[in-house]
Amino acid sequence: MDWPETSGKGSCKRFCGACGWKIGTTVQALLFGAIHLPAVWGKGIVPALVIVLLTGGIGFALGWLSQRRAEGSILYGWCIHAAANILSPVIVFSFLL
């Protein structure tokens, strides 16, 4: 399993119990975005902000899905994340060919 999905969502569930789902999901989303920073390391602040906000937004959406629609299950978020990891290189490389 993927670390952001298992640790991030598990931590989010515990944190949400103490602070509410919006704060817990926001913190989890920012951590999820920060995990993706090595992809643009040394490229400047703008690419770093784009990566954190884009992946953090996706992380928030997956956290919302888990908390509000999937009864706390990380299965849907894990499947969506896996699909994005499979499809994103295909899409990127199709533009490079």
Side-chain angles (χ1 to χ4, degrees):
M1 279 211 176
D2 193 3
W3 180 85
E5 291 300 325
T6 55
S7 296
K9 297 294 192 272
S11 299
C12 176
K13 284 181 74 170
R14 287 188 295 279
F15 195 64
C16 286
C19 297
W21 79 270
K22 288 181 184 177
I23 293 172
T25 302
T26 300
V27 169
Q28 169 267 320
L30 290 172
L31 291 173
F32 185 75
I35 287 170
H36 292 85
L37 280 174
V40 293
W41 209 255
K43 303 292 185 199
I45 191 73
V46 173
L49 285 173
V50 168
I51 288 293
V52 169
L53 293 176
L54 181 64
T55 57
I58 293 167
F60 187 88
L62 295 177
W64 174 85
L65 176 69
S66 173
Q67 293 295 315
R68 293 294 181 207
R69 296 288 181 241
E71 299 175 359
S73 173
I74 66 167
L75 181 61
Y76 299 106
W78 185 73
C79 290
I80 292 167
H81 190 224
N85 285 348
I86 292 167
L87 293 175
S88 61
V90 172
I91 293 167
V92 169
F93 287 125
S94 70
F95 286 109
L96 296 176
L97 296 176

